[in-house]
Amino acid sequence: MEKTIDESIQGTTVSIETNNNTSRKLYLESYGCAMNFADSEVVASILTKEGFCTTQRLQEADLVLVNTCSIRDKAEQTVRKRLEKFNAIKKNRPHLKVGVLGCMAERLKSKFLEEEKIVDMVVGPDAYKDLPNLIQEIDDGKNAVNVILSKEETYGDIAPVRLHTNGVNAFVSITRGCDNMCTFCVVPFTRGRERSREPQSILEEVNDLWSKGYKEITLLGQNVDSYLWYGGGLRKDFDNASTMQKATAVNFASLLATVAEAQPKMRIRFSTSNPQDMTLEVIETMAKYKNICKHIHLPVQSGSNRILKAMNRLHTIEEYFTLIDNIRKIIPDCSISQDMIAGFPTETEEDHQDTLKALEYVKYDFGYMYAYSERPGTMAARKLEDDIPNDVKQRRLAEIIALQRDHCQYRTQAHIGKTEEVLIEGTSKKSESEWMGRNSQSTVVVFPKENYKIGDFVNVKIEDCTSATLKGKAVGYSDNN
């Protein structure tokens, strides 16, 4: 639940420029959160070097790979339907091989390979470097599987091929795995224990992106605030590090400052934060550097302490509010967004009212809200009965969404009359004559194109808004150009 899913890009296929002399064609679809799409960039990089070229025409493919997500049942069902289609195509293209990558691969390896026999290859999120060997295995007529979760792998030594990009924004992975055993979440079981990527490799990737014309990066991890580099290894083993390792360790605030200083004209974002790990040092670092965007995605999941405890969220709602108060005090113009689950097991009407009160207290700029969906393998699935009727879940979710919509309107209206820097990302979905970009707070802004172009930093006078979008007129380039 912690990683938000952009529904508009689900199932997107990879398309990259490759050597036309290559003989084998790869069809790669991605589902899930930004972490999965970033992983697909790593996979594309590995297989391009192995002589594959990509195709967006399924009927041309020699190898089909599906990068999967286990966060929500909907994503799993979508992937299953796609696998059924791929198997139907194999009847006319018997040499076609199908592989499942990512979170579903780890969780359903036996079911896919042995019981249902719907794939040839299963590859977990820490095994992508083994793809050349696994492909050789299936070429030899064998099934292939590697779902071993690593204690070291961060793919820091692989330069990702940039996919689904406008050449302006890019993801930079800084951690893999997660140690926060939230009872509703399958990520620790599918992506393993948390480890951080070497900071110099992160800095090199950021500098390379700037040299290629990218204007904004998002530092990405299941929980970026717990980033901790002390020479390699799991975060949980830091207590056993040497005195020197502890003295020279790099935390997230330090990494954030280093990246911001390295490219002062590049916008820096990050996602996702965890309330129990976010520190005042991170908030103060955000305030210090102009190029660190003033937006924090801070999942709360529930406003009830009883439910937070059942979720194994290691903070109370009072501690969460203190964090919100500190953000508002140190960065008054910071936007805050949320993840929220309606209908978690045992949730009462009183618990639900506590959630609505939390929404009222924070008045989030936007949010991602879901009805609880039991995920097999999680602690909640093993220990808690999914006892809230679906109609009650949906009613509570509707009330949360309605209140959040009001707060979205409240927050966007506060921008009217201000002049704000906007990074142009592309053409507006609703008008070919308007650009679309985002301000520092990650709110979408649309304005007439005039002579500006994608990648420009433009000052826009905000004149109107909807609940989700700001509308205005450009008044000139910003200092970043």
Side-chain angles (χ1 to χ4, degrees), residues 349-361:
E349 280 302 316
E350 183 180 358
D351 295 324
H352 173 58
Q353 290 302 316
D354 285 343
T355 292
L356 297 179
K357 289 174 186 175
L359 285 168
E360 283 286 10
Y361 187 92

Side-chain angles (χ1 to χ4, degrees), residues 4-227:
T4 55
I5 294 177
D6 183 347
E7 298 292 352
S8 67
I9 60 173
Q10 298 305 297
T12 307
T13 53
V14 170
S15 179
I16 54 177
E17 293 182 11
T18 50
N19 184 351
N20 289 329
N21 295 325
T22 53
S23 59
R24 302 187 74 179
K25 293 190 176 181
L26 165 69
Y27 182 91
L28 171 56
E29 281 186 355
S30 302
Y31 295 86
C33 67
M35 292 292 292
N36 272 25
F37 282 81
D39 278 359
S40 288
E41 295 178 346
V42 170
V43 170
S45 179
I46 292 168
L47 292 186
T48 297
K49 291 177 182 176
E50 289 296 311
F52 280 85
C53 64
T54 60
T55 179
Q56 291 185 300
R57 291 169 56 83
L58 183 55
Q59 57 268 40
E60 293 179 349
D62 301 299
L63 174 65
V64 171
L65 297 178
V66 190
N67 198 351
T68 62
C69 173
S70 276
I71 294 290
R72 283 154 56 193
D73 184 61
K74 179 182 176 183
E76 284 200 5
Q77 296 308 317
T78 300
V79 169
R80 281 189 169 280
K81 289 177 183 176
R82 294 300 288 163
L83 291 174
E84 290 170 7
K85 178 173 182 176
F86 300 149
N87 271 275
I89 292 172
K90 285 179 77 170
K91 293 177 182 177
N92 297 320
R93 291 177 63 80
H95 73 284
L96 176 67
K97 303 297 183 182
V98 178
V100 170
L101 313 177
C103 297
M104 271 180 80
E106 201 286 328
R107 195 171 75 75
L108 297 173
K109 51 188 179 293
S110 298
K111 202 169 185 63
F112 283 159
L113 273 176
E114 297 159 15
E115 295 176 32
E116 300 181 10
K117 295 182 171 61
I118 56 175
V119 298
D120 304 289
M121 178 170 63
V122 176
V123 188
D126 289 346
Y128 298 143
K129 286 181 183 175
D130 198 29
L131 273 167
N133 298 326
L134 297 171
I135 290 170
Q136 185 60 54
E137 289 279 306
I138 60 176
D139 284 346
D140 292 341
K142 306 171 186 174
N143 287 335
V145 58
N146 186 342
V147 292
I148 296 171
L149 292 174
S150 170
K151 295 181 179 180
E152 289 85 27
E153 185 61 75
T154 63
Y155 300 111
D157 57 335
I158 293 178
V161 173
R162 298 297 164 182
L163 310 172
H164 323 297
T165 180
N166 52 12
V168 176
N169 322 88
F171 294 121
V172 177
S173 294
I174 67 169
T175 70
R176 294 186 73 82
C178 186
D179 287 347
N180 294 322
M181 303 295 287
C182 301
T183 58
F184 55 78
C185 187
V186 74
V187 167
F189 307 103
T190 59
R191 287 185 171 269
R193 301 308 295 262
E194 185 175 309
R195 63 270 188 201
S196 298
R197 180 178 165 189
E198 196 270 322
Q200 187 58 36
S201 73
I202 296 170
L203 196 58
E204 288 171 1
E205 184 174 342
V206 170
N207 290 337
D208 180 62
L209 286 166
W210 177 258
S211 72
K212 291 176 179 175
Y214 286 84
K215 301 296 180 70
E216 178 182 288
I217 55 116
T218 300
L219 302 177
L220 202 61
Q222 299 296 146
N223 180 14
V224 290
D225 292 277
S226 59
Y227 175 90

Side-chain angles (χ1 to χ4, degrees), residues 300 321 328 334-338 340 352-369 398-415 443 465-470:
V300 64
F321 288 162
R328 300 274 193 232
C334 188
S335 65
I336 303 170
S337 55
Q338 48 87 350
M340 194 78 76
H352 173 58
Q353 290 302 316
D354 285 343
T355 292
L356 297 179
K357 289 174 186 175
L359 285 168
E360 283 286 10
Y361 187 92
V362 181
K363 292 184 171 62
Y364 297 95
D365 292 72
F366 49 96
Y368 304 89
M369 297 143 287
E399 291 177 6
I400 290 169
I401 291 172
L403 188 55
Q404 180 58 63
R405 188 176 291 118
D406 290 343
H407 295 159
C408 287
Q409 185 76 42
Y410 169 78
R411 292 295 182 190
T412 53
Q413 284 177 340
H415 292 269
T443 307
C465 72
T466 66
S467 63
T469 305
L470 301 174

Side-chain angles (χ1 to χ4, degrees), residues 441-481:
Q441 290 77 15
S442 203
T443 307
V444 171
V445 183
V446 297
F447 58 96
K449 283 186 172 180
E450 299 182 45
N451 295 319
Y452 300 106
K453 64 183 185 301
I454 292 175
D456 283 345
F457 286 100
V458 181
N459 287 324
V460 177
K461 178 72 176 292
I462 308 301
E463 300 171 334
D464 198 4
C465 72
T466 66
S467 63
T469 305
L470 301 174
K471 302 176 182 180
K473 184 174 177 59
V475 295
Y477 293 102
S478 79
D479 293 341
N480 259 353
N481 287 294

